[in-house]
Amino acid sequence: MSSLKTPARLANNFPTDLIHLSPASNPTSPSIATDSIYSQAQFSESSDVTSLSSIEDSHHSRPLRPGVYVPTVTFFQPENEDLDLETISKHAVRLAKAGVAGITTQGSNGEAVHLSHQERKQVTRTTRKALSSEGFASIPIIVGCGAQSTREAIELCHEALAAGGDYALILPPSYYKAMLSSESLIDFFYDVADASPIPILIYNYPAAVGGIDLDSDSISALAKHPNIVGCKLTCGNTGKLARIAAATDAASTSSHGSGFMCMGGSADFVLQTLVVGGSGIICGVGNIAPKACVRIVELYAAGELAEAQKLQAVVARGDWAAISGGIIGTKSALETYYGYGGHARKPLPRVEKQEVVKHANAFKELVDMENSLD
């Protein structure tokens, strides 16, 4: 068993005033711009139905609160690469039971680039249904909605809402990087935020978008838009995170602040994010060890910094296994330790037998820690 102390869990006891309500559910929020060329009517046919009344389980705004969010893996049938909806459901419930604050679908770990629009909706809808049926209806779902055109990004936001998503995570476009000025990128986020039916979070992940790296001034300025409610910084720049958290008066484990969610994008700096006033983390390794990631937040909130630091070191080593092995390594470890995971969609390669052992060994310390936690 772990020697780490066990503080009171945040999942059920988090102060209700330390949560972010979307502008749509908060009558005191500034109104969202309505003069965009991208009207809601344009997307009504292509995105199923966008009215709240049409969404299964009576969709309502689910607030974001500081903590751990996990970008879920998308699972496929081994024989034909069709979606494995049963495993997608089971995995979402496992994460919820571990105490995560929220779930992200259609992220990098979810192989969004390998999915059709229809499959994206099916994954989010399946995740929402699984959470609701197991008593976790209040857990928010953030849906990856980045695209190369402004129009498609907005369409994905409408589809996310129709599928039961609550927030959209938006990468900047990058295919025509050489022709995109800083002003073009800023306008992209403003246009999407103006037209999206759900609040958005800015996703800064230079490795996924040809090196585009939004600076703290740009993100802090964008944060003033009433429909931009947070950011995910997978750039790993904790100095940038500290500047944005301060400039936006971000929500933290001890203060509601403005409600803006300034999130780190990797589990190797959960504690660092919290120390500088960030709101939490959206981390891929949470698919392997959600309880360990959540426990770091709980320890920090309880003032157990020495214990939090010890656990952070273990999680950081495990996160390096996830970073170096990518989605292939994460799925391999899930298969080894939890009996499900499977393969990524082609053209990503299958894992050879010797690589299975390598990935298992790389994650072993973290999985052992995960299994020792209540």
Side-chain angles (χ1 to χ4, degrees):
M1 294 293 291
S2 168
S3 62
L4 291 170
K5 297 178 181 178
T6 305
R9 295 186 68 80
L10 290 179
N12 298 319
N13 299 320
F14 204 89
T16 56
D17 60 326
L18 299 186
I19 56 179
H20 178 86
L21 291 173
S22 72
S25 65
N26 184 357
T28 64
S29 294
S31 60
I32 299 170
T34 57
D35 58 350
S36 171
I37 65 170
Y38 302 102
S39 66
Q40 180 169 329
Q42 291 176 301
F43 303 97
S44 59
E45 292 185 6
S46 62
S47 60
D48 294 336
V49 182
T50 56
S51 64
L52 291 180
S53 61
S54 71
I55 298 169
E56 188 173 10
D57 87 351
S58 300
H59 170 93
H60 60 281
S61 177
R62 298 169 179 88
L64 297 176
R65 57 184 174 83
V68 173
Y69 293 72
V70 179
T72 55
V73 172
T74 298
F75 302 97
F76 305 107
Q77 300 286 354
E79 63 275 8
N80 56 17
E81 293 191 349
D82 286 351
L83 294 176
D84 183 349
L85 300 180
E86 181 180 352
T87 301
I88 289 170
S89 297
K90 179 176 70 173
H91 185 62
V93 172
R94 174 182 162 241
L95 298 178
K97 289 180 176 178
V100 302
I103 285 176
T104 300
T105 59
Q106 323 311 322
S108 305
N109 278 271
E111 297 182 62
V113 295
H114 290 165
L115 304 179
S116 68
H117 277 230
Q118 186 61 36
E119 287 175 322
R120 285 174 176 240
K121 289 184 287 185
Q122 198 169 7
V123 168
T124 299
R125 188 178 295 114
T126 297
T127 301
R128 169 56 63 209
K129 183 177 180 180
L131 293 173
S132 296
S133 65
E134 294 294 325
F136 298 103
S138 63
I139 288 184
I141 296 178
I142 303 170
V143 184
C145 294
Q148 294 306 308
S149 74
T150 303
R151 185 182 182 89
E152 185 180 13
I154 295 167
E155 182 178 9
L156 287 169
C157 291
H158 280 266
E159 292 176 355
L161 172 64
D166 304 290
Y167 302 85
L169 184 63
I170 308 292
L171 275 168
S174 60
Y175 189 85
Y176 294 110
K177 176 186 173 183
M179 290 179 276
L180 289 171
S181 65
S182 296
E183 182 178 335
S184 298
L185 293 173
I186 297 299
D187 286 345
F188 166 78
F189 284 106
Y190 278 135
D191 285 340
V192 174
D194 283 347
S196 174
I198 52 178
I200 73 171
L201 292 85
I202 298 165
Y203 190 4
N204 191 55
Y205 186 11
V209 290
I212 293 174
D213 190 2
L214 300 170
D215 61 33
S216 54
D217 290 341
S218 297
I219 295 174
S220 298
L222 285 166
K224 296 176 182 177
H225 190 291
N227 209 31
I228 297 178
V229 300
C231 63
K232 176 186 179 184
L233 303 181
T234 309
C235 54
N237 187 331
T238 54
K240 179 188 296 184
L241 191 151
R243 290 190 294 274
I244 295 170
T248 61
D249 189 22
S252 68
T253 57
S254 60
S255 171
H256 175 266
S258 68
F260 187 83
M261 297 291 289
C262 185
M263 311 285 284
S266 183
D268 56 2
F269 60 102
V270 179
L271 186 57
Q272 298 94 311
T273 293
L274 300 174
V275 167
V276 300
S279 310
I281 212 83
I282 303 176
C283 58
V285 82
N287 286 288
I288 300 289
K291 288 186 290 185
C293 296
V294 170
R295 186 60 57 85
I296 294 174
V297 179
E298 293 171 342
L299 288 166
Y300 174 79
E304 301 285 349
L305 299 186
E307 299 297 320
Q309 186 176 355
K310 292 177 185 177
L311 183 52
Q312 177 66 85
V314 175
V315 170
R317 289 190 287 271
D319 197 46
W320 178 242
I323 293 168
S324 57
I327 186 58
I328 295 172
T330 295
K331 284 192 165 185
S332 178
L334 281 169
E335 188 71 51
T336 297
Y337 289 110
Y338 300 103
Y340 66 92
H343 301 293
R345 267 188 175 169
K346 291 183 176 180
L348 291 180
R350 299 292 187 258
V351 180
E352 302 295 335
K353 289 184 178 180
Q354 64 270 22
E355 292 178 313
V356 171
V357 174
K358 181 186 75 172
H359 293 310
N361 289 338
F363 281 105
K364 186 178 187 305
E365 180 190 24
L366 179 59
V367 173
D368 286 346
M369 176 61 74
E370 178 77 2
N371 291 337
S372 74
L373 299 174
D374 296 331

